[in-house]
Amino acid sequence: MDSVFTNYQILCFALTAITAPFLAFVFSLIFKKLAGAFGIVSITVSLVFSAILFFSIWQKQTFHFSFSWIKLGNVSVNIGILLNDLSVIMLLLVSFVALLVHIYSVEYIRKEALRYRYFAYLSLFCFAMLCVVIADNLFILYAFWELVGFASYLLIGFWFTKKKAVQANKKAFIMNRVGDVGFLIGLMILLSQFHTLDIETIFGAKGIIHSSFIHNGNWVSPFASIPDYWLTIAGFCFLLGACAKSAQFPLHSWLPDAMQGPTAVSSLIHAATMVAAGVFLLLRVSPLFNDVVLTTMASIGLLTAFMAATIALTQNDIKKVLAFSTISQLGFMVLAVGVKDNAAAIFHLSTHAFFKCLLFLAAGMVIHQLHHVKDDTKTKFDEQDMRNMGGLARFMPITTVVFIIAALSLSGLPFTSGYLSKDAILISVFEWASERGGVYWLFPVVISITSWLTTFYIFRVIFKTFFGDFKLPALINKKEKELHLHDPNLWMKIPTIILAVFCFGFFFALNPFSLEGSWLHHAFNLEPHAGGLLHLFVPIYINALSLVLIASAYFIYAKNKIVFTNHKSWYYQFSYHQWYFNVLYDKKLVGLILWKAKITFWFDKHIIDGIVHLSAKAILVLAEIVDWVDTHIVDAFVNGLANIVSSWSVWFKSVQNGKLQHYFIWMLFIFLSFIIYKVII
Amino acid sequence: MGLLSVLIFLPLVFGILILAMPKSLNAWFKYISLAVSLVQLAIASYMYYHFKTGDAFAGVNQLSQYQWLENLNWIRLDVGQFGVLQIDYLLGVDGFSIGLIWLSALVMLVATLSSWEIKTNLKGYFALFLLLNTAIVGVFCALDLFLFYIFYELMLLPLYFLIGMWGGVRREYASIKFFLYTLFGSVFMLLVIAGLYLSVIDPVTGNHTFNMVYAMNPANYIDGSIFNSLSNAEIFGFPARTVGFIVVFIAFAIKVPVFPFHTWLPDAHVEAPTPISLILAGILLKVGGYGIIRIAYGIFPEAAMSLSFWMGLLGVISIIYGAMAALAQRDLKRLVAYSSVSHMGFVLLGIASLTSEGLNGAMMQMISHGFLSVMLFFIVGVIYTRVHDRDIYNFRGLANKMPVFTGFVMIAFFASLGLPGFSAFIAEAFTLIGAFSSQTLNGLLPRWMAMFGTLGILLGAGYLLWTLQRMFFGKFRVKKEEWKLALTDVNAREIMVLVPLAAMALVLGIMPSIAFNVMSSSVNQFLLMFK
Amino acid sequence: MIPLQHFLLIGAVLFSLGLFAVITRKNAIQILMGIELMINASILNMVAFGKYDKIDNTGQIFGLFIIILAAASVAVALVIIMNLYKRTQTIDPNQTKSLRG
């Protein structure tokens, strides 16, 4: 404990860092006019305290504080704060990016009437995300994990009158829910196995996961013993959770749709922070994964990275390209976790946060300015469609420059941060494959191709957007001068410039070619890489071909000299339609579930309720029968008796008809009868 | 006259008072009801606050550990050679009932506030309403099976009239279905109660007794009596105690409702007027869960354990089935009704797990669902009172026109689908954790049940978010032009109803110990019966 | 000496005639007359049987009794018939139903 701060102070700092955005959320909803100020101030506070925490925790100590939250007899659920290297780096990253996005948003969202909601939601997101990062307990992590999803739901649906936006946020939330289900099942398995969900207790250096083992087909922990397949299932469950949050195959299709939200939100949530939470979770629980899970994870990462890169090649919506790029890069990270190089995953997560955030913000600047043009000239065109752009570099130089810097970093060219982190992953994959050999060599091959595809698609965006002919005037029949196209103001420029600085490699390593020299990578890299040859070989062959690809992209998209794609070809269509996942999910799967729901309801109405009605009817029929018996047999007897009596009485009555002579005849008749009777007897 | 008696009979007294008042004082009735509910809530809160926790006050099968105990000799009939017929006026509270009593007090208050929309025959309405109030609180307090049964049946009568007279279009059908269905279950339960009476003796007086706490102790059973676990008596060739358990379970499963006994619920909910829907969803269903815990499981523990698998299976089926059926609905109220089936499935699953987490989760789910379903039904009521229509497809983009209302809707929807920070999340998570760890702890439920149960959470998000998207988001559009004027945002009274409910869901979500504290020792005591 | 059978035969004929009158006539007076005939037939029988009781002459005495009673009843009956006529303008017993139960 060589920290300058006491534990108590650290606790206070951490609590302040997370509560500031929460207070901003509450106050933004109350004092609507000051929402933006609340947001910026609170996230600045978070950033300051995160920085303090970072410098007192990083590489020095692990801080853990928890208290009992729920006590059920002998079961106790604790909540608390866990600050270790991973937490503080994420804390710093999230609050830093969030601050920049807040500043950027002030201008971006200025014209919205409901902008207070925007800032409130953004603060809520920051609060939840910071809590995810510092949660010490998987249960709490899960709670805030969902809250993050909720904030994302609110922000995607910020323009709630847009039909596509509300469909997108629903889709995002439900697909994340699929992952949450996996996460929850994983939690249940861990809890029943370890009787706690405390991250440090289970996964820490001395955690109980290390004292659990597989014996005779059973997974034995100090508390319980269950069949060993549950270990694999638990791993898959957490993987499922991470796949949903980090938009990995097969749960990736929500992220492109989520681009319906404001661009600043896409930048913060759907590029830099929230989607990285999945990778973060994998890192947190990584000791749990056995070989099967790890291999699956690597395969998913690889497949996702490749798939998303191929899709990004053909998209025309600038944000869609970036969204698929994000999916692809997250695939790199998942792959890195899958090949057990956590350091590379964290490193790439951090560098990616900066350059992808920057890409989105820069794209947002383009969209924002074009939107102004659209409003000013009262014309209609899609401001996100790259086919309407081209040649913007002349009007928006700063935007162009920062975009290119970020793109270089994404491509992993030398001197950028991406160079370091991507190479870290590539080298690990090569090493991993060489250890295993055989079919595993597919991994480095495919990931190298993906890396080249990345370079190609991002430079396609650059050349289509910023270079080539300025297509807009012709499109809307205006003169160039009427459009007033220029860089946005400082509110938007400054955050992007700051981010651009962080895209350079020397921020992470003094020697921009030395991966091992990077402080960030070094901190997590427990087993330094052995092969020196790979370090030399991988960057060179990747970058050499990348440069060729950049040049070819220039000629294809900026100069239109080469036309090499046939838009009708099946591979173009396959890529353009995003591998038809949306058709499969939105139409087929959702249709199937709704159909099943209808069947269930039909079953309920006609079978279950039918049985009730049938039994009611059966009782009614029985009642009818009883009624018939009652009227026609039981009552008939009684009534018959009464009828006989009454008909007799009617007849007797007729005797007394008041006629004297009749009486007389009767008297005679009776008298005679009596006589006759007497005579006969 | 103890506090519980006051709590129970206060509404009855004022109900009679309302009957005695002339019709010209129509406008006063709702304020009288409101005052009664407020006093009740105050008493319930006082009791909750002073409720003693800890193992010494666990209750369950220890009569002396119950709090606010009231024991009066009610009926003592000397029946010659059969001994003395002993029926006690026995009231008491333990960890299982205190939370539900408080919940009923709150729900009754909310339902009273919601009764402002009732315009016809106020006198009858409020008199019946207060009678219902008495019966409901009585059910949760009664510890004598006979007394319990009286309150239990007494609930049906006012409900029948309240649905049948103030309900919707098909109210006669719904009320009769509700009444007969519930009666069907409880009549057979009466037989079991009679059997228990013949089997159990009061250890103090030596008489046969209806005391349900004594019935939980095997030592109080007469040798060779039908429900004595040692006598191996049989009914129709099945062990008597298993039959007894099943009969009692079905009686309460109808109330919960558990698949396949749930079909009365959508009809009754849809046709009932809003305040009655609130009571049905908020309290009536909990009577079922409470009964399963207290009577079915409490009195027949070993039968319950042997059937745990089936209980859990019914729970899981209810969860998924209810959610699927909800997904297919066009009528908002019916959707909410089916979602109740789904949510109450968690209660059964948690109870069946017989673990501390599962049972606490189930109790929490009952309380949480009490707040949330009331909120959901009230939300439906808000729309219905304005335009008399509930079809989801007739509305779109209500958020534009009713922003505050939409805020509440989002809170209610997200809380119901188990967003962390709200009570339902804690409840469902604990229920599922309990169900999952059951196999390791006591081997009752297989693990896949918990895994399938999680699907309910997923589907819940499906139907609620889809509804949110269809009704509240998008551009404002409604079916008829005149609705545009009628659809105004929530008024002060409605906010007054919604705020405490949302607040309670939130408070319990953030500080679940408030509820867990009072119930956990009772739950542990309860679980000891299954060892 | 006229044998008893002759008296009885005449009595029976008289009685039958009276009975016939009583049953068939539509006039109350005629019915009354029929009744008188029947009474007379019975008186005749009484007197005829009186020869077997020479000491007390019970038959003769009964005959006298019946004559007196018949005279009284005729008087009453005539008054009834007159009142009936006053009330209903008819003396046909079939037309009146005030005796009806």
Side-chain angles (χ1 to χ4, degrees):
Chain A
M1 291 281 168
D2 52 349
S3 168
V4 287
F5 298 109
T6 62
N7 280 348
Y8 179 71
Q9 281 170 319
I10 289 179
L11 178 64
C12 289
F13 293 156
L15 288 179
T16 318
I18 56 168
T19 40
F22 184 72
L23 292 178
F25 163 65
V26 175
F27 285 118
S28 299
L29 288 176
I30 301 170
F31 306 104
K32 298 176 180 173
K33 292 211 166 146
L34 293 171
F38 279 129
I40 291 177
V41 169
S42 72
I43 199 68
T44 312
V45 170
S46 294
L47 176 61
V48 169
F49 284 104
S50 301
I52 296 172
L53 289 171
F54 179 77
F55 289 114
S56 54
I57 301 279
W58 178 254
Q59 294 283 292
K60 284 180 190 152
Q61 57 168 322
T62 300
F63 174 81
H64 185 195
F65 167 82
S66 72
F67 65 95
S68 173
W69 181 42
I70 304 170
K71 249 182 109 61
L72 307 176
N74 45 10
V75 187
S76 168
V77 179
N78 291 343
I79 57 171
I81 291 170
L82 172 68
L83 296 173
N84 58 12
D85 288 354
L86 183 58
S87 315
V88 285
I89 188 79
M90 288 293 290
L91 204 55
L92 194 63
L93 183 77
V94 170
S95 51
F96 181 67
V97 176
L99 174 63
L100 295 178
V101 170
H102 267 83
I103 295 171
Y104 179 93
S105 301
V106 171
E107 172 64 21
Y108 189 80
I109 212 80
R110 191 188 292 280
K111 289 193 173 163
E112 291 294 330
L114 295 172
R115 63 179 174 280
Y116 76 94
R117 282 193 194 167
Y118 174 86
F119 281 107
Y121 297 162
L122 212 54
S123 298
L124 179 66
F125 169 77
C126 292
F127 161 69
M129 189 68 207
L130 293 174
C131 289
V132 164
V133 169
I134 64 170
D136 77 324
N137 182 308
L138 284 175
F139 192 71
I140 303 306
L141 179 59
Y142 175 76
F144 286 106
W145 171 275
E146 281 213 49
L147 205 57
V148 169
F150 175 61
S152 142
Y153 171 87
L154 291 173
L155 283 164
I156 298 170
F158 176 66
W159 289 305
F160 62 84
T161 47
K162 255 168 76 179
K163 197 179 168 198
K164 275 190 172 172
V166 289
Q167 275 172 344
N169 72 353
K170 177 191 68 181
K171 183 171 173 182
F173 197 89
I174 291 176
M175 287 188 94
N176 270 301
R177 262 282 153 126
V178 177
D180 293 346
V181 164
F183 194 164
L184 189 61
I185 296 173
L187 285 190
M188 299 192 294
I189 296 171
L190 285 187
L191 189 69
S192 70
Q193 185 72 346
F194 297 120
H195 289 198
T196 177
L197 287 172
D198 190 274
I199 294 169
E200 192 67 10
T201 319
I202 301 180
F203 301 114
K206 292 174 200 153
I208 36 181
I209 186 109
H210 301 298
S211 54
S212 74
F213 53 88
I214 303 287
H215 179 69
N216 274 348
N218 277 327
W219 179 27
V220 185
S221 84
F223 302 101
S225 164
I226 52 178
D228 59 351
Y229 53 80
W230 286 102
L231 176 64
T232 313
I233 292 178
F236 277 126
C237 285
F238 283 108
L239 180 60
L240 182 68
C243 278
K245 215 37 136 204
S246 288
Q248 297 295 296
F249 172 85
L251 296 174
H252 62 278
S253 71
W254 66 269
L255 188 62
D257 288 23
M259 295 300 132
Q260 293 295 336
T263 309
V265 167
S266 311
S267 149
L268 174 64
I269 298 183
H270 305 118
T273 54
M274 184 184 88
V275 288
V279 179
F280 175 79
L281 175 71
L282 292 180
L283 293 170
R284 276 286 199 214
V285 300
S286 57
L288 180 73
F289 300 129
N290 62 14
D291 206 49
V292 181
V293 180
L294 284 172
T295 312
T296 315
M297 194 187 299
S299 314
I300 286 178
L302 183 78
L303 177 61
T304 312
F306 178 72
M307 174 192 74
T310 57
I311 294 172
L313 286 174
T314 54
Q315 300 303 310
N316 288 321
D317 184 322
I318 187 167
K319 285 183 76 180
K320 280 256 163 80
V321 177
L322 295 180
F324 281 106
S325 166
T326 307
I327 296 174
S328 174
Q329 296 301 307
L330 289 164
F332 274 80
M333 296 174 215
V334 172
L335 174 62
V337 181
V339 299
K340 283 192 147 176
D341 189 357
N342 291 357
I346 299 170
F347 193 19
H348 196 57
L349 195 160
S350 316
T351 58
H352 173 257
F354 290 111
F355 63 69
K356 186 52 61 63
C357 183
L358 177 54
L359 282 173
F360 267 106
L361 292 186
M365 282 153 85
V366 171
I367 294 164
H368 191 66
Q369 295 309 100
L370 288 179
H371 193 79
H372 275 293
V373 169
K374 197 163 86 166
D375 280 356
D376 289 347
T377 58
K378 299 201 171 52
T379 47
K380 274 194 180 168
F381 62 91
D382 185 353
E383 70 266 27
Q384 299 192 11
D385 195 329
M386 288 190 293
R387 283 169 297 192
N388 301 338
M389 300 175 188
L392 295 178
R394 273 189 293 153
F395 307 96
M396 308 172 73
I398 294 185
T399 310
T400 313
V401 169
V402 293
F403 198 97
I404 290 175
I405 292 172
L408 289 172
S409 192
L410 174 66
S411 313
L413 289 173
F415 300 107
T416 61
S417 56
Y419 171 82
L420 295 166
S421 59
K422 193 183 262 181
D423 282 356
I425 294 175
L426 289 176
I427 292 166
S428 291
V429 175
F430 268 100
E431 282 179 359
W432 184 73
S434 63
E435 272 171 32
R436 301 183 166 219
V439 73
Y440 290 99
W441 276 108
L442 201 60
F443 282 76
V445 173
V446 174
I447 204 70
S448 302
I449 294 172
T450 309
S451 185
W452 290 318
L453 289 176
T454 309
T455 312
F456 188 77
Y457 71 66
I458 197 66
F459 276 92
R460 170 176 171 265
V461 170
I462 289 176
F463 293 128
K464 281 194 96 159
T465 310
F466 296 105
F467 296 98
D469 303 327
F470 188 34
K471 293 172 197 142
L472 201 53
L475 192 76
I476 56 175
N477 292 324
K478 299 273 177 184
K479 295 227 173 62
E480 230 177 85
K481 280 181 188 165
E482 287 176 84
L483 299 182
H484 305 297
L485 203 57
H486 53 80
D487 272 327
N489 66 13
L490 284 177
W491 284 101
M492 293 172 91
K493 265 191 287 191
I494 287 179
T496 52
I497 293 168
I498 295 173
L499 280 170
V501 173
F502 280 92
C503 288
F504 287 107
F506 46 73
F507 182 75
F508 294 94
L510 287 176
N511 175 359
F513 291 105
S514 164
L515 172 63
E516 305 292 335
S518 158
W519 56 270
L520 184 54
H521 188 256
H522 179 72
F524 293 99
N525 200 6
L526 304 171
E527 305 155 18
H529 296 292
L533 191 64
L534 281 172
H535 278 258
L536 195 64
F537 167 69
V538 170
I540 290 177
Y541 95 89
I542 293 279
N543 285 312
L545 197 55
S546 289
L547 289 172
V548 174
L549 285 169
I550 293 171
S552 54
Y554 178 73
F555 285 113
I556 296 168
Y557 296 108
K559 294 286 170 200
N560 291 324
K561 289 218 169 128
I562 311 170
V563 179
F564 87 114
T565 50
N566 175 7
H567 286 203
K568 295 229 168 74
S569 64
W570 68 267
Y571 50 86
Y572 184 89
Q573 289 295 323
F574 190 59
S575 159
Y576 184 73
H577 289 108
Q578 307 170 8
W579 289 30
Y580 296 102
F581 272 108
N582 280 331
V583 182
L584 180 68
Y585 288 167
D586 297 358
K587 301 267 157 39
K588 297 284 184 304
L589 202 63
V590 172
L592 184 73
I593 290 173
L594 288 183
W595 181 73
K596 272 191 182 159
K598 287 216 173 80
I599 295 280
T600 309
F601 182 50
W602 182 89
F603 180 78
D604 195 60
K605 207 168 159 183
H606 293 98
I607 309 290
I608 301 286
D609 212 21
I611 290 171
V612 175
H613 281 160
L614 202 67
S615 49
K617 217 165 260 170
I619 290 174
L620 281 181
V621 168
L622 195 68
E624 289 286 330
I625 293 169
V626 169
D627 183 53
W628 188 88
V629 170
D630 198 54
T631 30
H632 293 90
I633 296 175
V634 180
D635 207 23
F637 174 72
V638 178
N639 280 344
L641 214 61
N643 279 342
I644 290 167
V645 171
S646 89
S647 57
W648 281 14
S649 79
V650 167
W651 186 68
F652 272 122
K653 211 168 76 181
S654 75
V655 172
Q656 299 227 345
N657 59 0
K659 292 181 180 172
L660 205 57
Q661 285 158 318
H662 286 233
Y663 291 175
F664 205 87
I665 292 167
W666 272 109
M667 279 163 62
L668 190 66
F669 173 72
I670 290 165
F671 182 72
L672 282 178
S673 309
F674 183 71
I675 297 286
I676 290 164
Y677 171 77
K678 272 288 172 196
V679 169
I680 292 170
I681 298 298
Chain B
M1 196 72 173
L3 210 49
L4 286 177
S5 296
V6 175
L7 196 64
I8 295 172
F9 291 108
L10 188 75
L12 188 65
V13 169
F14 280 89
I16 293 168
L17 184 74
I18 283 181
L19 280 181
M21 281 164 70
K23 270 219 168 121
S24 52
L25 296 176
N26 249 343
W28 285 93
F29 296 154
K30 58 187 176 191
Y31 293 107
I32 291 176
S33 292
L34 187 63
V36 170
S37 304
L38 278 171
V39 172
Q40 257 191 321
L41 186 63
I43 296 175
S45 305
Y46 170 85
M47 285 172 58
Y48 198 95
Y49 186 74
H50 288 277
F51 186 81
K52 297 194 239 353
T53 55
D55 290 343
F57 300 98
V60 190
N61 56 356
Q62 305 291 330
L63 191 58
S64 58
Q65 293 182 351
Y66 279 86
Q67 302 180 40
W68 286 285
L69 203 62
E70 285 177 41
N71 195 351
L72 293 175
N73 297 344
W74 181 22
I75 298 175
R76 286 287 186 281
L77 192 63
D78 199 334
V79 283
Q81 57 168 332
F82 297 109
V84 179
L85 181 73
Q86 175 180 346
I87 299 174
D88 294 324
Y89 176 76
L90 181 64
L91 305 175
V93 199
D94 69 350
F96 284 115
S97 44
I98 182 75
L100 293 171
I101 288 173
W102 195 87
L103 172 75
S104 351
L106 183 78
V107 173
M108 291 316 286
L109 176 65
V110 166
T112 314
L113 278 172
S114 159
S115 301
W116 257 238
E117 68 172 68
I118 302 290
K119 303 283 184 231
T120 51
N121 193 2
L122 293 176
K123 189 172 184 170
Y125 177 84
F126 282 103
L128 285 167
F129 189 85
L130 289 168
L131 177 62
L132 178 64
N133 193 342
T134 291
I136 285 170
V137 181
V139 161
F140 289 127
C141 298
L143 292 179
D144 186 278
L145 281 169
F146 195 83
L147 190 64
F148 177 87
Y149 191 79
I150 288 176
F151 282 126
Y152 189 79
E153 292 297 306
L154 193 59
M155 285 191 310
L156 294 186
L157 176 89
L159 272 174
Y160 173 74
F161 288 110
L162 286 169
I163 297 173
M165 292 174 73
W166 286 271
V169 185
R170 293 167 72 224
R171 54 180 179 260
E172 283 92 356
Y173 166 75
S175 59
I176 285 186
K177 191 170 175 182
F178 163 75
F179 189 88
L180 289 183
Y181 215 136
T182 323
L183 199 66
F184 169 77
S186 55
V187 163
F188 290 105
M189 182 170 75
L190 190 60
L191 290 177
V192 176
I193 290 179
L196 280 169
Y197 169 76
L198 293 173
S199 307
V200 180
I201 50 162
D202 185 337
V204 183
T205 59
N207 296 331
H208 285 283
T209 180
F210 283 107
N211 188 319
M212 65 171 92
V213 182
Y214 290 143
M216 292 179 199
N217 187 354
N220 292 335
Y221 285 78
I222 300 171
D223 287 339
S225 61
I226 183 159
F227 285 131
N228 189 330
S229 51
L230 299 175
S231 67
N232 295 325
E234 288 190 341
I235 299 174
F236 302 128
F238 298 101
R241 284 182 67 84
T242 308
V243 173
F245 171 77
I246 291 173
V247 166
V248 175
F249 173 78
I250 288 177
F252 290 117
I254 289 170
K255 259 299 199 263
V256 168
V258 172
F259 172 90
F261 308 110
H262 64 278
T263 51
W264 64 268
L265 178 116
D267 286 313
H269 274 81
V270 167
E271 297 308 326
T274 306
I276 305 308
S277 296
L278 305 191
I279 294 173
L280 275 176
I283 317 175
L284 260 278
L285 310 190
K286 279 77 209 174
V287 173
Y290 173 80
I292 289 177
I293 294 179
R294 173 85 83 210
I295 297 181
Y297 269 68
I299 295 180
F300 303 102
E302 75 296 331
M305 258 173 103
S306 63
L307 290 170
S308 257
F309 176 84
W310 301 104
M311 303 291 112
L313 188 67
L314 283 181
V316 174
I317 292 176
S318 298
I319 291 172
I320 297 176
Y321 186 90
M324 283 302 251
L327 204 53
Q329 299 309 319
R330 288 177 64 107
D331 182 333
L332 188 58
K333 207 167 183 183
R334 206 169 256 275
L335 183 144
V336 177
Y338 274 110
S339 86
S340 282
V341 176
S342 178
H343 286 135
M344 292 305 284
F346 283 100
V347 175
L348 192 58
L349 183 62
I351 296 172
S353 78
L354 285 175
T355 57
S356 175
E357 294 92 334
L359 262 170
N360 276 301
M363 286 301 294
M364 189 67 161
Q365 174 76 341
M366 287 208 264
I367 294 173
S368 152
H369 181 256
F371 299 131
L372 294 175
S373 63
V374 165
M375 205 166 162
L376 288 174
F377 277 111
F378 190 80
I379 279 166
V380 180
V382 166
I383 296 179
Y384 188 73
T385 41
R386 280 165 176 67
V387 294
H388 294 278
D389 194 279
R390 294 183 303 245
D391 193 328
I392 291 172
Y393 287 100
N394 288 347
F395 303 88
R396 179 170 294 169
L398 291 179
N400 299 284
K401 191 87 178 173
M402 312 166 82
V404 181
F405 178 60
T406 307
F408 282 113
V409 170
M410 284 184 71
I411 292 174
F413 277 21
F414 275 94
S416 311
L417 63 81
L419 188 74
F422 291 102
S423 48
F425 164 70
I426 302 281
E428 285 168 11
F430 271 75
T431 311
L432 291 170
I433 287 171
F436 191 85
S437 49
S438 165
Q439 184 161 27
T440 330
L441 292 176
N442 51 25
L444 291 178
L445 300 184
R447 295 194 182 88
W448 58 262
M449 277 189 183
M451 295 173 74
F452 274 93
T454 52
L455 283 183
I457 297 183
L458 178 63
L459 291 169
Y463 59 77
L464 287 172
L465 291 189
W466 195 27
T467 309
L468 206 55
Q469 179 211 328
R470 283 179 291 178
M471 279 187 88
F472 293 91
F473 296 146
K475 294 210 162 44
F476 182 61
R477 179 187 64 75
V478 286
K479 192 178 163 202
K480 289 178 190 162
E481 201 58 32
E482 65 262 28
W483 289 6
K484 286 187 178 168
L485 284 177
L487 283 166
T488 49
D489 213 340
V490 277
N491 59 30
R493 177 178 61 84
E494 287 159 344
I495 289 177
M496 242 161 61
V497 171
L498 288 166
V499 164
L501 293 170
M504 281 316 299
L506 191 64
V507 166
L508 281 185
I510 294 170
M511 294 184 286
S513 355
I514 295 177
F516 283 142
N517 274 349
V518 297
M519 60 180 78
S520 63
S521 47
S522 292
V523 167
N524 289 335
Q525 176 89 10
F526 182 76
L527 288 175
L528 285 181
M529 293 199 291
F530 296 88
K531 290 283 184 267
Chain C
M1 190 74 180
I2 305 165
L4 185 63
Q5 284 90 340
H6 293 191
F7 289 103
L8 293 182
L9 195 66
I10 289 172
V13 169
L14 267 179
F15 189 86
S16 301
L17 285 173
L19 187 62
F20 180 78
V22 165
I23 291 170
T24 57
R25 293 297 93 183
K26 299 250 181 246
N27 192 323
I29 306 285
Q30 283 175 323
I31 291 170
L32 193 61
M33 284 163 69
I35 291 171
E36 285 303 315
L37 278 181
M38 284 151 77
I39 290 173
N40 286 345
S42 64
I43 293 170
L44 191 61
N45 282 15
M46 287 289 170
V47 172
F49 280 113
K51 77 170 185 183
Y52 296 109
D53 185 17
K54 297 259 174 60
I55 301 150
D56 288 339
N57 288 322
T58 327
Q60 269 78 356
I61 291 168
F62 260 103
L64 281 172
F65 253 126
I66 293 169
I67 288 166
I68 293 161
L69 277 178
S73 71
V74 163
V76 171
L78 279 174
V79 172
I80 289 173
I81 288 166
M82 273 173 68
N83 278 334
L84 181 73
Y85 184 78
K86 265 186 196 163
R87 201 178 279 189
T88 63
Q89 309 301 320
T90 178
I91 49 170
D92 182 353
N94 288 335
Q95 299 289 318
T96 65
K97 288 187 175 158
S98 50
L99 274 180
R100 195 172 152 196

